[in-house]
Amino acid sequence: MTETSMKIKLPVACFLVQIILIILFGVLVEYDVNTDAKLWHAKVGNGSDYENEFYYRYPSFQDVHVMIFVGFGFLMTFLKRYGFSSVGFNFLVAALALQWATLMQGFFHGMHHGKIHINVESMINADFCTGSVLISFGAVLGKTSPVQLLVMALIEVTLFAVNEFILLGPLGARDAGGSMTIHTFGAYFGLVVARVLYRPNLDKSKHKNGSVYHSDIFAMIGTIYLWMFWPSFNSAITAHGDDQHRTVMNTYYSLAACTLATYGMSAMVCPEGKLDMVHIQNAALAGGVAVGTAGEMMLTPFGSMIVGFLAGIISVLGYRFLTPVLESKLKVQDTCGVHNLHGMPGVLGAIVGAITASTATRDIYGDGLADVFPAVADGTYDASTQGVRQAISLAVTLGIALVGGLITGFILKLPIYGAPPDTACYEDALYWEVPEEEECNGELATVKTEEAEKLNG
């Protein structure tokens, strides 16, 4: 049995963690009033069952769930020999993270008589947390074992819940679409993990760190799913009514403007004036990231378009010029370019949110000010203070992400997880049974583990 074999490691990790989760759910988790048969019927009385929160939130949950399992999964299938792992490990990590997130978020956001109450909104929040983990997964894609990914998910979900509690609780930040809590946190956490796990001899697998025609098409499927459902993602937990409606529209126009900026910049920065599919797959989504914090605010339609336009430009420039510098100078091997799609646009979104919050007035929001900025509406503090709190929240998020990623990276560096050797990174055959189909150039699509070990030796 080789060092990379999952025959013992993965079953032990999966079974042990799931058994512990089942026990914890049995002790701590129960239905809330919208879900419990007795409590709901006592509450609704002669009213309508359609007043249940399910009917308001489930459509958004469904969209977010598709983004997590289909969108993120297929977006990462661009690697020519890592399709099984991209979709498969995405599936595995998400299934663990959403369960652990339910417990961690429930613990930090308030327990009810020692119990965590769950409903459709808690499922959405758990998916949000899972999204942050999958962003980090993109930074280390192809260079980690499934056991390493499970360990990373457990640690990151815990720190995500801590950061979210600090931002939404004591700091009173507004971040409905998660520019800070989800995208900035996940990106910089993953980048620091990637830096700690730096592989100086990764060039031995360089020929596999790329796409082929059909893998880019599969990745584009992920892009389209994410692009279509991003308005639901940003608006899923905002207040009903105008807040949710406004968030959808702001995200909708930001994405559209971002897409045109992406196409234009891609042609501009490529030497022959052609489009780069990497830019289109990723940078076209940056508008959704950048409008996450300010989406529920009175950003205005043209304001959201400006944000999306800037996000597309920044993201493409990052892929073209910054990613190579990160690898050569800072030794950060960012497989998916999460810094360009989630990191920089997330920071942009946080800055836009801080500026927009600082200009909020009752003249602009009317009675709706209480929905978006309750502390400003009741006079606890003024709008400029809200803006400062938003900026502090960005700094706190970056601090927790960087320190957490550093600690997690060193934990994952322990030689006990069956990590791939330098010669077998970005390779499905190391952990999966892969059909031995020949590619058009006659080369076998699989590389035997034994051969990889000889090369590594």
Side-chain angles (χ1 to χ4, degrees):
M1 199 158 26
T2 64
E3 289 185 5
T4 58
S5 173
M6 292 290 109
K7 192 172 184 65
I8 302 298
K9 296 182 180 73
L10 190 57
V12 168
C14 290
F15 294 160
L16 181 63
V17 169
Q18 189 58 62
I19 290 169
I20 291 172
L21 285 169
I22 290 171
I23 294 170
L24 290 174
F25 266 69
V27 174
L28 297 173
V29 178
E30 65 182 18
Y31 299 132
D32 82 336
V33 67
N34 284 278
T35 323
D36 184 276
K38 183 178 179 180
L39 294 176
W40 170 250
H41 284 278
K43 175 187 175 181
V44 74
N46 295 324
S48 171
D49 281 335
Y50 289 105
E51 296 172 13
N52 194 292
E53 189 74 4
F54 174 87
Y55 296 100
Y56 296 98
R57 297 293 187 193
Y58 186 76
S60 294
F61 164 74
Q62 198 170 27
D63 292 350
V64 172
H65 217 46
V66 169
M67 290 178 69
I68 296 300
F69 286 92
V70 179
F72 278 105
F74 276 90
L75 182 63
M76 292 186 276
T77 59
F78 68 95
L79 291 171
K80 65 180 76 172
R81 293 183 176 176
Y82 211 66
F84 284 16
S85 300
S86 297
V87 177
F89 293 160
N90 184 92
F91 193 8
L92 171 66
V93 170
L96 166 64
L98 66 87
Q99 296 178 76
W100 186 234
T102 299
L103 294 172
M104 288 296 98
Q105 290 176 314
F107 176 76
F108 281 104
H109 290 294
M111 300 179 72
H112 305 266
H113 306 293
K115 297 290 185 179
I116 295 169
H117 285 184
I118 58 170
N119 54 26
V120 69
E121 189 168 334
S122 69
M123 291 161 61
I124 294 171
N125 282 316
D127 272 8
F128 281 171
C129 181
T130 299
S132 191
V133 176
L134 297 178
I135 291 167
S136 300
F137 172 36
V140 299
L141 185 71
K143 301 167 293 187
T144 46
S145 74
V147 177
Q148 282 178 302
L149 295 173
L150 292 176
V151 173
M152 183 180 80
L154 289 170
I155 300 171
E156 185 171 359
V157 165
T158 305
L159 294 175
F160 176 97
V162 171
N163 181 62
E164 186 181 50
F165 169 74
I166 294 172
L167 264 60
L168 304 185
L171 287 175
R174 305 297 292 181
D175 192 31
S179 291
M180 293 184 288
T181 55
I182 301 170
H183 301 286
T184 302
F185 182 85
Y188 289 101
F189 184 98
L191 289 169
V192 176
V193 171
R195 173 61 185 90
V196 176
L197 298 181
Y198 174 72
R199 292 169 176 262
N201 298 316
L202 193 60
D203 280 349
K204 294 180 179 180
S205 292
K206 189 176 182 180
H207 61 288
K208 289 175 284 188
N209 184 12
S211 63
V212 291
Y213 194 80
H214 70 269
S215 67
D216 268 336
I217 292 174
F218 273 113
M220 197 62 192
I221 293 172
T223 298
I224 297 300
Y225 268 100
L226 290 169
W227 200 95
M228 288 194 309
F229 291 134
W230 216 294
S232 295
F233 187 93
N234 283 352
S235 65
I237 57 170
T238 54
H240 299 315
D242 64 286
D243 306 71
Q244 200 162 38
H245 197 165
R246 183 168 57 249
T247 308
V248 167
M249 296 193 75
N250 284 336
T251 307
Y252 178 83
Y253 289 111
S254 180
L255 284 166
C258 179
T259 301
L260 266 71
T262 298
Y263 275 83
M265 282 303 298
S266 182
M268 182 183 294
V269 301
C270 289
E272 297 180 1
K274 295 182 179 180
L275 297 170
D276 188 332
M277 188 56 105
V278 172
H279 301 159
I280 308 306
Q281 288 163 356
N282 295 278
L285 300 170
V289 176
V291 81
T293 298
E296 67 176 332
M297 304 175 192
M298 291 290 285
L299 185 59
T300 73
F302 85 92
S304 62
M305 294 169 78
I306 292 172
V307 173
F309 187 77
L310 292 175
I313 292 173
I314 291 169
S315 186
V316 172
L317 291 175
Y319 276 102
R320 182 68 178 88
F321 300 109
L322 192 55
T323 296
V325 174
L326 286 177
E327 182 165 353
S328 62
K329 303 298 183 183
L330 300 181
K331 295 179 169 47
V332 177
Q333 295 160 329
D334 180 8
T335 307
C336 291
V338 300
H339 186 238
N340 311 309
L341 171 54
H342 301 280
M344 293 190 295
V347 172
L348 173 63
I351 294 170
V352 170
I355 294 171
T356 310
S358 66
T359 61
T361 64
R362 192 168 289 277
D363 288 340
I364 296 172
Y365 287 83
D367 291 339
L369 187 65
D371 285 343
V372 185
F373 301 112
V376 176
D378 64 19
T380 304
Y381 44 77
D382 60 16
S384 60
T385 303
Q386 178 71 48
V388 171
R389 285 171 172 259
Q390 296 286 141
I392 293 172
S393 296
L394 173 60
V396 170
T397 297
L398 288 170
I400 295 176
L402 296 174
V403 174
L406 186 68
I407 295 169
T408 304
F410 282 110
I411 292 173
L412 298 184
K413 207 167 185 178
L414 297 173
I416 59 175
Y417 304 108
D422 290 339
T423 52
C425 290
Y426 316 115
E427 179 57 66
D428 273 338
L430 196 64
Y431 300 118
W432 297 84
E433 292 286 348
V434 180
E436 294 190 0
E437 296 179 358
E438 291 192 352
E439 295 181 342
C440 58
N441 62 3
E443 181 185 355
L444 284 177
T446 60
V447 172
K448 298 295 184 182
T449 305
E450 294 82 0
E451 294 173 1
E453 288 178 345
K454 288 178 184 176
L455 287 169
N456 200 46

